[in-house]
């Protein structure tokens, strides 16, 4: 997997690069948040490992920019931090980070967290594939299943997940349904007369 | 003065050796050169910050040197840096000379051990 790493500490950057290469990843390095953002903007990597405190642009700001970019493929953001505490954790999460790892990092822990990242990115890729393959009727909105049969969205989702449906009326449909219901009641009253 | 413990954490060093053996043998030399070059620059900045009574720079530079030192398992040096960082965070650089001397002395000890380590790795 291609991983972008950002750290203003050249020693930590070198060691992180070596550890990631050892785990079989392709690595792109940046010495601060701004440099990382420019690389991300140009190349769009699936995973970013970033330090928290950096000159030019810090880690949380980098996370916010990556999230705001809204790329089609999800970007997994892993923050490296020497700082601990709930406040920092919440601030990082609010900025868009997916996970944290404490500096100096432990290689086994780094590998484990990267496995989680790959799993999440893999699932996201499967969802995208599924979206791309589904054949949806433009008129009645039914879906074609694997056997080629046309089924309702409810049938399809219930077959392919643990989800169940409850039925309501969305705000957009509500006026139309109410109008139809009133018409039906008028017809019933007329027939009864 | 007799030192009871090595400046570099043996566990961290063992992990670095393993990583170097698996990936590239020159890793230890690269880490040593990178750390010492960066560290000497930061030591000079710390010295200036203490002389100029600049607590904000003292805090930031000490924090940075603490991080890179901890990365290589230089835990005692990281602790001295943390104390300098705390001094800066308290809004003063006064009295920083003694801590700075401790940081400088420990840094030289770390440099000696790193040179021995990288020397072994290049053999």
């Amino acid at each position: 997997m291609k991983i972008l790493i950002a750290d203003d500490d050249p020693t930590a950057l070198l060691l992180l690069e070596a550890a990631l290469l050892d785990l079989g990843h392709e690595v792109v390095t940046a010495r601060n948040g701004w440099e990382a953002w420019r690389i991300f903007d140009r190349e769009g990597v699936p995973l970013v490992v970033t330090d928290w405190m950096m000159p030019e642009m810090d880690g949380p700001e980098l996370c916010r920019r990556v999230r705001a970019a809204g790329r089609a493929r999800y970007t997994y953001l892993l923050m490296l931090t020497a700082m601990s505490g709930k406040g920092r954790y919440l601030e990082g999460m609010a900025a868009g980070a997916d996970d944290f790892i404490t500096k100096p990092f432990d290689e086994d822990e780094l590998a484990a967290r990267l496995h989680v990242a790959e799993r999440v990115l893999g699932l996201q890729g499967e969802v995208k594939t599924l979206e791309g393959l589904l054949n949806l009727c433009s008129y009645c909105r039914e879906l074609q299943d694997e056997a080629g049969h046309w089924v309702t969205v409810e049938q399809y989702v219930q077959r392919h997940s643990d989800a169940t449906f409850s039925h309501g009326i969305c705000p957009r449909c509500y006026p139309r349904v109410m109008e139809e219901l009133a018409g039906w009641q008028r017809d019933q009253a007329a027939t009864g007369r | 003065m007799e030192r009871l413990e090595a400046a570099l954490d043996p566990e961290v060093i063992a992990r670095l050796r393993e990583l170097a053996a698996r990936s590239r043998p020159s890793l230890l030399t690269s880490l040593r050169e990178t750390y010492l070059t960066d560290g000497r620059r930061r030591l000079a900045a710390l010295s200036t910050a203490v002389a100029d009574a600049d607590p904000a720079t003292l805090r930031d530079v000490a924090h940075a040197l603490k991080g890179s030192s901890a990365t290589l398992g230089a835990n005692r040096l990281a602790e001295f840096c943390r104390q300098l960082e705390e001094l800066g965070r308290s809004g003063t650089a006064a009295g920083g000379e003694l801590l700075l001397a401790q940081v400088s002395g420990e840094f030289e000890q770390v440099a000696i051990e790193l040179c021995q380590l990288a020397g072994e790795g290049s053999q």
Side-chain angles (χ1 to χ4, degrees), chain B residues 50 53 58 87 91-97:
Chain B
V50 170
L58 187 69
L87 180 68
T92 179
E97 294 83 358

Side-chain angles (χ1 to χ4, degrees), chain A residues 59-127:
Chain A
E61 179 58 21
L62 175 63
C63 291
R64 278 190 286 273
R65 287 199 180 216
V66 168
R67 290 286 174 254
R71 288 187 174 251
R73 289 188 72 100
Y74 189 74
T75 307
Y76 197 91
L77 297 173
L78 181 57
M79 290 199 83
L80 281 164
T81 176
M83 301 180 181
S84 56
K86 186 178 164 186
R88 284 279 164 180
Y89 181 78
L90 294 177
E91 189 186 341
M93 294 296 270
D98 291 290
D99 199 4
F100 296 84
I101 190 161
T102 310
K103 285 177 83 176
F105 66 88
D106 175 85
E107 272 177 68
D108 294 333
E109 187 186 346
L110 178 69
R113 289 182 188 277
L114 289 176
H115 278 307
V116 173
E118 284 181 301
R119 201 158 61 221
V120 169
L121 289 169
L123 285 171
Q124 205 266 345
E126 282 178 28
V127 170

Side-chain angles (χ1 to χ4, degrees), chain A residues 31 40 43 48 63 78 88 94 97 124 159 186:
Chain A
R31 288 163 299 177
F40 176 82
E43 300 181 24
V48 179
C63 291
L78 181 57
R88 284 279 164 180
Q124 205 266 345
R159 264 187 229 163
R186 280 196 299 273

Side-chain angles (χ1 to χ4, degrees), chain A:
Chain A
M1 184 165 42
K2 190 173 183 178
I3 303 178
L4 169 62
I5 54 176
D7 199 324
D8 63 321
D9 174 359
T11 309
L13 193 66
L14 183 62
L15 187 56
L16 183 58
E17 182 187 20
L20 292 174
L21 288 172
D22 180 50
L23 291 168
H25 298 288
E26 184 187 345
V27 183
V28 187
T29 61
R31 288 163 299 177
N32 59 60
W34 177 246
E35 196 179 313
W37 165 246
R38 288 182 64 184
I39 293 169
F40 176 82
D41 197 36
R42 194 175 61 233
E43 300 181 24
V45 293
L47 201 155
V48 179
V49 181
T50 178
D51 188 25
W52 188 291
M53 285 175 68
M54 291 182 290
E56 307 286 334
M57 184 190 292
D58 65 13
E61 179 58 21
L62 175 63
C63 291
R64 278 190 286 273
R65 287 199 180 216
V66 168
R67 290 286 174 254
R71 288 187 174 251
R73 289 188 72 100
Y74 189 74
T75 307
Y76 197 91
L77 297 173
L78 181 57
M79 290 199 83
L80 281 164
T81 176
M83 301 180 181
S84 56
K86 186 178 164 186
R88 284 279 164 180
Y89 181 78
L90 294 177
E91 189 186 341
M93 294 296 270
D98 291 290
D99 199 4
F100 296 84
I101 190 161
T102 310
K103 285 177 83 176
F105 66 88
D106 175 85
E107 272 177 68
D108 294 333
E109 187 186 346
L110 178 69
R113 289 182 188 277
L114 289 176
H115 278 307
V116 173
E118 284 181 301
R119 201 158 61 221
V120 169
L121 289 169
L123 285 171
Q124 205 266 345
E126 282 178 28
V127 170
K128 283 282 168 198
T129 307
L130 194 63
E131 283 173 353
L133 288 175
L134 287 177
N135 192 11
L136 179 73
C137 173
S138 306
Y139 300 96
C140 71
R141 316 304 291 172
E142 285 202 342
L143 290 163
Q144 199 168 23
D145 68 13
E146 297 81 350
H149 300 126
W150 290 93
V151 297
T152 64
V153 172
E154 288 153 295
Q155 288 169 332
Y156 189 90
V157 171
Q158 280 177 343
R159 264 187 229 163
H160 290 79
S161 74
D162 295 329
T164 52
F165 284 88
S166 66
H167 291 85
I169 307 172
C170 78
R172 206 173 56 165
C173 294
Y174 187 80
R176 179 176 58 79
V177 172
M178 286 299 110
E179 183 60 33
E180 283 176 10
L181 198 60
W184 180 79
Q185 284 172 334
R186 280 196 299 273
D187 290 347
Q188 287 295 103
T191 308
R193 218 177 273 161

Side-chain angles (χ1 to χ4, degrees), chain A residues 8-12 14-15 17-19 22 53 82-83 103-107, chain B residues 15-16 19 22-24 27 30-31 34-35 38 42 63 67-68 70-72:
Chain A
D8 63 321
D9 174 359
T11 309
L14 183 62
L15 187 56
E17 182 187 20
D22 180 50
M53 285 175 68
M83 301 180 181
K103 285 177 83 176
F105 66 88
D106 175 85
E107 272 177 68
Chain B
R15 286 209 306 272
L16 291 179
L19 178 61
R22 282 199 309 270
S23 54
R24 57 184 173 106
L27 178 65
S30 300
L31 282 171
T34 304
Y35 173 79
D38 182 60
R42 295 198 194 278
H63 175 82
S68 57
T71 297
L72 295 187

